[in-house]
Amino acid sequence: MTSAAELPDFPGLGVTGSTGGLGGMVARELAALGSTQRLLVRDPARAPELDGATPAVCSYTDTAAARQALDGVKVLFMVSAAETQDRVQQHTAFIDAAAGAGVQHVVYTSFYGAAPDATFTLARDHYATEEHIRSSGMDFTFLRDNLYLDFLPLLAGDDGVIRGPAGDGAFSGVAREDVARCAVAVLRDPAIHKGATYNLTGPEELTLAQAADIITQSTGRTVSYQPETLEEAYASRASYGAPPWQVDAWVSTYTAIAAGDMAGISPDVHGLTGEDPISLREFLARPVL
């Protein structure tokens, strides 16, 4: 484990989630731009080897280790924790550690439409996290991501069918790559984004039926959308043996689309990056890295 005393001087940028998809993209892009950063990881062996990046070991729930790892960090990129029943508690513990360590600005990856009564149950967790950051005394910027385009093909089962109670509702999916580029834009000059909440969407609204058609046309795999009733949705997921909170989250992803909570196109990706967001068709045409 790397202690705070062993960490080299750096301009105060800390990045979580670098062993995962979004955080890894952010860390790599920051390194390519010459930024020095501290990678907050649970397993240093999994930390990406990047120029100017130094790993420090902590978890969201180990407050003592987190405060030590965050010593000297002034701007923190906080990727939301994995989906668990106690995710809000994990977040609040880490936020308290950050405030105690002297972090001045938190850039947090939240979710589109985060609210205490959001249809999508996990968006309520993001709202609670936002509120705790607001009350911490630290400056903040919230990146509220719509559904990731990256995950859309994975919604289809082995038979190529996407099943869920989304009705004819629309969503405005965003590529994870665009979210990473927005995060980097904020992290490079956080002061001008103090107190801002950005809604990160793609360039189009799509129903799941339309998304399935695009996936079929773009990949050659036949994908279709089959609407379910609420009862059918819970019944079809019962065989996974998941806890009730998780099944609620799965199902409410679709009911939130049906309710219109995922609709709407935001200009914020372009505003932050100067480039138009990637469409589903463009995303599917990109080579797999």
Side-chain angles (χ1 to χ4, degrees):
M1 175 175 173
T2 305
S3 69
E6 297 169 333
L7 291 167
D9 290 336
F10 77 117
L13 176 60
V15 174
T16 70
S18 63
T19 61
L22 176 61
M25 287 182 181
V26 170
R28 289 191 296 273
E29 187 164 342
L30 287 169
L33 293 169
S35 296
T36 304
Q37 56 189 311
R38 187 177 300 167
L39 305 180
L40 307 172
V41 295
R42 287 174 297 190
D43 181 0
R46 295 184 58 217
E49 296 184 7
L50 302 170
D51 290 341
T54 305
V57 179
C58 69
S59 68
Y60 280 5
T61 55
D62 188 338
T63 302
R67 286 190 65 159
Q68 185 178 43
L70 288 163
D71 183 50
V73 170
K74 299 305 178 187
V75 179
L76 173 65
F77 179 57
M78 180 180 172
V79 178
S80 55
E83 297 174 0
T84 59
Q85 191 168 17
D86 67 342
R87 181 161 65 162
V88 174
Q89 288 75 23
Q90 291 185 43
H91 286 174
T92 55
F94 188 64
I95 292 162
D96 291 344
V103 172
Q104 297 173 359
H105 193 132
V106 178
V107 180
Y108 172 66
T109 59
S110 187
F111 195 81
Y112 194 79
D117 57 351
T119 306
F120 179 41
T121 56
L122 297 184
R124 304 171 195 173
D125 292 353
H126 287 289
Y127 175 81
T129 300
E130 288 185 3
E131 288 300 289
H132 198 72
I133 293 172
R134 289 179 187 275
S135 67
S136 71
M138 296 182 289
D139 294 335
F140 60 85
T141 306
F142 300 141
L143 304 177
R144 290 184 170 181
D145 313 337
N146 206 287
L147 291 178
Y148 282 161
L149 295 180
D150 312 50
F151 294 156
L152 277 179
L154 305 180
L155 293 177
D158 292 339
D159 59 357
V161 179
I162 300 173
R163 295 178 174 85
D168 294 323
F171 65 98
S172 306
V174 63
R176 189 160 49 189
E177 176 184 336
D178 279 331
V179 175
R181 291 191 302 111
C182 289
V184 169
V186 172
L187 292 168
R188 293 190 72 189
D189 195 0
I192 65 173
H193 304 286
K194 175 181 174 181
T197 297
Y198 296 110
N199 292 311
L200 305 185
T201 74
E204 59 194 346
E205 291 182 320
L206 295 171
T207 66
L208 283 177
Q210 290 170 330
D213 287 343
I214 293 172
I215 294 171
T216 299
Q217 296 163 14
S218 301
T219 69
R221 181 193 182 196
T222 301
V223 174
S224 61
Y225 167 58
Q226 178 180 313
E228 290 181 312
T229 66
L230 199 58
E231 294 74 17
E232 289 170 340
Y234 276 96
S236 66
R237 288 155 180 79
S239 63
Y240 294 103
W245 71 265
Q246 190 165 37
V247 178
D248 287 340
W250 290 342
V251 173
S252 65
T253 305
Y254 296 90
T255 55
I257 294 174
D261 294 356
M262 306 286 195
I265 299 171
S266 167
D268 289 343
V269 169
H270 188 280
L272 288 168
T273 68
E275 298 179 21
D276 291 334
I278 301 165
S279 69
L280 177 57
R281 196 178 300 276
E282 291 168 335
F283 170 76
L284 294 170
R286 292 181 176 229
V288 178
L289 300 179

